[in-house]
Amino acid sequence: QVVVQESGPGLVKPSETLSLSCTVSGGSINTDGFYWTWIRQHPEKGLEWIGFIHFRGRTSYNPALKNRLTISVDASENRFSLKLTSLTAADTALYFCARGRGYPLDSWGQGTLVTVSS
Amino acid sequence: DTQMTQSPSTLSASVGDRVTITCRANETVSNWVAWYKQTPGKPPKLLIYKATTLERGVSSRFSGTDSASETEFTLTISSLQPDDFATYYCQQYVNFPLTFGQGTKVDVK
C-alpha cells in the first residue's frame, strides 16, 4: 500500500518561496496511470486543487496559482515537490500531497500546515 | 472553472438514518465525479469514483448516483454509523482545474 508524506517548513515569511516535498513509499513514483498531486485546505475551509505531475513530466496547474507554481519530480528519490513563490497570507493553509489514480485521489498524506507570517 | 455546489451545507442526523448529499455542477462533467470523507485532523478519504463506483474497502452503506443531465450527483449513506459523522466533499475531475464542492458536514442531531 502506497504511503505519501509531506515535509517542509511550517512558517514562511511573506514574499518568500514555499518549498514542500512529498515522499512516496510502498510503491514507485515511476508508475503509469498515477498523477502526483498537491491540494491545500485553508483553515476551516474546503479543498483547493493545486496541481499534479506525472513521472514522465506532464504537469497541470491551477491557473489561479500557475504564475507562482512549480511541481517537479525526483524519481531517484521517489518523491515530488512543490515550489510556490511570492507568498502572501492567503497562502496560509494545510497542504496535502496525494496520489491520483487517474485523477481521483486514493492516497493522501497527513498534511502539513504552512503559515505565512512575518 | 467548473463550480461544484453541494447541498445541504450541514445535515443533522441520527445513527441509523439514511442520508443523501447532492452535488451539482454548473457544466457537464459526464460521470467523472468522486466523493471523499474527511474527519477533523485527518486527510480526506476516497469513497466513490466515476460517480457510482465504490472504492475498494469502503462500506457498501455508501453509494453514489449520477443523472442523465451529467450535472447532478448524489452520495447516500444507507444507515448512518457513528464513524460517518464527518464532512463530505464531491470533486469533478474532467475539467481543469479540478474542483471540489464546498463540503457537507454531517453532524449529530
Side-chain angles (χ1 to χ4, degrees), chain A residues 39 41 45-49 52 58 60-63 96 101 103-106 108-110, chain B residues 1 34 36 38 41-46 49 55 89 91 93 96-102:
Chain A
I39 309 96
Q41 186 168 33
K45 298 279 188 195
L47 300 161
E48 179 182 24
W49 178 81
F52 67 57
R58 176 195 167 197
S60 182
Y61 296 161
N62 191 321
F96 293 102
R101 193 181 69 225
Y103 301 144
L105 301 162
D106 67 349
W108 293 65
Q110 291 301 306
Chain B
D1 299 2
Y36 301 85
Q38 186 179 32
K42 298 283 191 182
K45 174 188 172 184
L46 179 64
Y49 60 96
E55 173 70 349
Y89 295 93
Q91 178 206 16
Y93 54 95
F96 286 89
L98 308 187
T99 49
F100 294 87
Q102 82 280 15

Side-chain angles (χ1 to χ4, degrees), chain B residues 2-76:
Chain B
T2 301
Q3 287 186 20
M4 305 292 281
T5 304
Q6 291 181 230
S7 59
S9 294
T10 306
L11 190 162
S12 297
S14 303
V15 171
D17 284 354
R18 179 183 179 89
V19 301
T20 296
I21 299 166
T22 299
C23 181
R24 289 185 178 86
N26 67 343
E27 57 183 323
T28 179
V29 294
S30 187
N31 62 348
W32 302 113
V33 169
W35 289 94
Y36 301 85
K37 168 190 171 185
Q38 186 179 32
T39 52
K42 298 283 191 182
K45 174 188 172 184
L46 179 64
L47 300 174
I48 285 170
Y49 60 96
K50 216 171 175 187
T52 61
T53 303
L54 199 65
E55 173 70 349
R56 187 167 44 192
V58 173
S59 170
S60 58
R61 294 181 297 100
F62 292 90
S63 63
T65 65
D66 56 10
S67 70
S69 68
E70 300 183 340
T71 59
E72 184 166 316
F73 306 86
T74 64
L75 172 71
T76 297

